[in-house]
Amino acid sequence: MPRYHVIEAGRVVNTVLADGPNSLPGVVLVPDDGTAEIGWGYDGEVFVLPPPLPGPVPAVVSDRQFFHALAISSLITEAEALAAVRTGDIPAALQVVIDAMPEGDRFHATMLLSGAVEFRRDHPLVEAVRLARGMTDAAVDDLFRLAGGL
C-alpha cells in the first residue's frame, strides 16, 4: 500500500498508508516522494522545507548590542545608537516612553537607560517599551536574538 502525506493548510500534518489519493474523503493526500516529512510545506506542486526554528532568546545583551539592534531595526537612528553607547543619551523613541511614565518612575527609568551596561529581556522596562511601541512579544524576542548575534 503506498504512502501519502496528509496536507492541511499547505502543511504536511501526517503520513499514512492509503489505497489512493481519494481513499479518505475530505482529506488531501499527496503521494510521498521520499523528500518530505511532517511539518514540511506543500505549495500544491512540490514539498517545501519548513523555515528553521528561531534560536533561543538571550536573557541578557550588552548595551552596545541592544542599541545596535534598535538601530538596525530602524527603531532608533544610527546616531542615537552611537550617542546612547558613547554618552548615555536616551534615544527619542525611548524618551517618549519615559515621559509617559508616572513621575515617580521616570528617574529610575532614565538612570537605567542611560547607565545600563546590559539589558535583560525580562526587565519590566523592556515590557513597558514593548507595550508603548505596540510590539509583540515575538518582535521583542527577535530584537534580542538580533542583538545577541551582534
Side-chain angles (χ1 to χ4, degrees):
M1 191 173 278
R3 291 170 43 103
Y4 290 87
H5 293 299
V6 178
I7 309 296
E8 290 180 8
R11 187 104 11 242
V12 176
V13 297
N14 203 352
T15 302
V16 298
L17 298 176
D19 290 327
N22 299 316
S23 58
L24 296 173
V27 176
V28 177
L29 296 177
V30 176
D32 177 12
D33 65 3
T35 62
E37 298 178 18
I38 293 173
W40 281 49
Y42 183 71
D43 68 5
E45 294 183 20
V46 295
F47 294 105
V48 181
L49 185 67
L53 295 174
V57 178
V60 179
V61 296
S62 73
D63 61 334
R64 193 233 5 120
Q65 290 172 305
F66 181 74
F67 290 114
H68 194 168
L70 288 175
I72 288 173
S73 300
S74 298
L75 296 171
I76 64 173
T77 68
E78 290 179 2
E80 287 177 313
L82 288 169
V85 173
R86 286 179 180 156
T87 62
D89 287 357
I90 297 174
L94 298 178
Q95 187 63 54
V96 168
V97 175
I98 292 172
D99 292 345
M101 292 179 163
E103 181 144 356
D105 295 339
R106 290 181 197 156
F107 174 73
H108 301 295
T110 300
M111 288 297 295
L112 176 69
L113 280 173
S114 64
V117 295
E118 66 181 23
F119 288 89
R120 299 192 57 79
R121 172 61 181 93
D122 63 356
H123 194 279
L125 187 56
V126 171
E127 180 66 4
V129 170
R130 180 189 78 77
L131 292 171
R133 301 283 304 178
M135 298 173 74
T136 65
D137 281 325
V140 176
D141 287 347
D142 288 344
L143 184 71
F144 268 74
R145 282 188 196 98
L146 172 61
L150 296 173

